[in-house]
């Protein structure tokens, strides 16, 4: 037991330094004024009231809209991909999942610049369109470019949990469904999809939260004027220097994340209880 405690102490120390202290500072900055200095601070809730201004509400609305669209596309594409992967042998499944995760090994910045070279006005796609006699299409600095970048960046976070749920599914349930006279759609909806709901919930949660909080992809593919929640937080800390307002936004985003995690766990428990 003593040896175990000695192993745990460094983890507790690092958790306190890297998680607890920064979180306490964010909470403190969010309810005070005085910039990035803790000297001569005054407690106030004006930072949260400021979020209610129309310009910032638009940022939240756009972020949630793109987050929902990105999550929906990732769910459809990711589920189809995960389902097809489970139809192969376990060895091949491992290789295919590896292929899905390989892009995550590359820096996000490099992947985003690759999309710029594809989608820009003089990029590869427009060059091909021009070569075959079609007019070039403006794709950069639009919802389309941002969504494409988010989907390609976050798709593995949808595929992996869904594949995990599908791979653990008892295949005899599918055979039993067919034996009882169910056709393919009924079998998919009432057996396969129902058994994969925990993975679907986890995938939706991860993709949505990452989509609304990221800032690199919207900044590069959406242009400097394309501001989402992640960009707004970065701007307050890096460019504007208003750490108090930036902390207030970060705290609200953290609360949203905690709520979604709580809802996810509750839904998983409900699904687990219904299966029993």
């Amino acid at each position: 037991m003593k040896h175990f405690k000695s192993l745990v102490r460094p983890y507790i120390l690092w958790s306190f330094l890297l998680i607890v202290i920064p979180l306490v500072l964010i909470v403190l900055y969010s309810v005070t004024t005085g910039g990035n200095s803790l000297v001569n601070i005054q407690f106030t809730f004006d930072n949260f009231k400021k979020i209610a201004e129309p310009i910032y509400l638009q940022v939240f609305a756009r972020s949630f809209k793109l987050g929902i669209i990105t999550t929906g596309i990732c769910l459809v594409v990711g589920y189809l991909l995960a389902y097809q992967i489970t139809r192969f042998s376990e060895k091949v499944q491992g290789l295919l999942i590896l292929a899905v995760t390989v892009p995550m090994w590359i820096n996000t910045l490099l992947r985003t610049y690759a999309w710029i070279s594809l989608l820009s006005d003089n990029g590869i796609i427009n060059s091909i369109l021009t070569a075959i006699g079609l007019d070039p299409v403006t794709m950069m600095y639009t919802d389309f470019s941002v969504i494409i970048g988010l989907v390609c960046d976050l798709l593995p976070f949808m595929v992996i949990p869904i594949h995990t749920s599908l791979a653990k599914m008892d295949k005899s349930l599918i055979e039993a469904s067919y034996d009882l006279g169910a056709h393919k759609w009924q079998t998919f909806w009432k057996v396969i999809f129902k058994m994969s709901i925990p993975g679907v919930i986890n995938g939706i949660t991860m993709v949505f939260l990452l989509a609304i909080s990221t800032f690199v992809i919207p900044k590069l593919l959406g242009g400097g004027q394309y501001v989402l929640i992640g960009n707004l937080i970065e701007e307050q800390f890096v460019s504007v220097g208003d750490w108090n307002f930036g902390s207030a936004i970060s705290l609200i985003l953290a609360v949203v994340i905690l709520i979604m995690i709580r809802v996810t766990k509750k839904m998983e428990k409900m699904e687990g209880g219904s299966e029993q």
Side-chain angles (χ1 to χ4, degrees), residues 115-273:
W115 277 111
I116 292 176
S117 67
L118 287 169
L119 301 176
S120 62
D121 292 341
N122 298 319
I124 297 174
I125 295 178
N126 276 323
S127 298
I128 295 174
L129 292 177
T130 304
I132 61 177
L134 299 177
D135 294 330
V137 180
T138 299
M139 292 175 284
M140 284 293 295
Y141 311 134
T142 62
D143 286 358
F144 173 78
S145 61
V146 175
I147 290 172
I148 285 292
L150 289 174
V151 168
C152 292
D153 190 64
L154 303 178
L155 186 60
F157 294 97
M158 185 68 75
V159 173
I160 293 174
I162 293 177
H163 171 266
T164 301
S165 293
L166 291 174
K168 293 189 299 183
M169 183 177 59
D170 187 355
K171 300 298 189 295
S172 63
L173 295 174
I174 300 176
E175 297 175 0
S177 176
Y178 287 133
D179 290 340
L180 292 173
H183 53 69
K184 289 185 177 180
W185 173 248
Q186 289 177 320
T187 301
F188 171 78
W189 184 249
K190 294 185 177 181
V191 179
I192 298 175
F193 183 77
K194 188 174 181 180
M195 296 294 290
S196 64
I197 284 179
V200 171
I201 294 173
N202 286 328
I204 289 175
T205 302
M206 287 192 291
V207 171
F208 181 76
L209 294 178
L210 291 171
I212 65 174
S213 60
T214 188
F215 62 90
V216 174
I217 294 173
K219 187 173 184 178
L220 294 179
L221 296 181
Q225 305 177 50
Y226 207 100
V227 181
L228 299 184
I229 296 177
N231 304 105
L232 185 59
I233 294 173
E234 181 210 16
E235 185 180 272
Q236 299 304 313
F237 280 98
V238 178
S239 303
V240 179
D242 191 349
W243 289 22
N244 305 101
F245 184 49
S247 297
I249 303 172
S250 301
L251 189 60
I252 289 178
L253 187 59
V255 170
V256 171
I257 292 173
L258 291 175
I259 291 174
M260 291 198 66
I261 292 175
R262 175 62 180 171
V263 171
T264 300
K265 290 184 177 180
K266 189 173 182 179
M267 292 178 69
E268 286 181 347
K269 288 182 179 179
M270 292 174 60
E271 183 61 28

Side-chain angles (χ1 to χ4, degrees), residues 7-18:
L7 293 175
V8 173
R9 284 171 185 168
Y11 172 77
I12 296 175
L13 176 61
W14 280 110
S15 298
F16 182 78
L17 293 175
L18 300 179

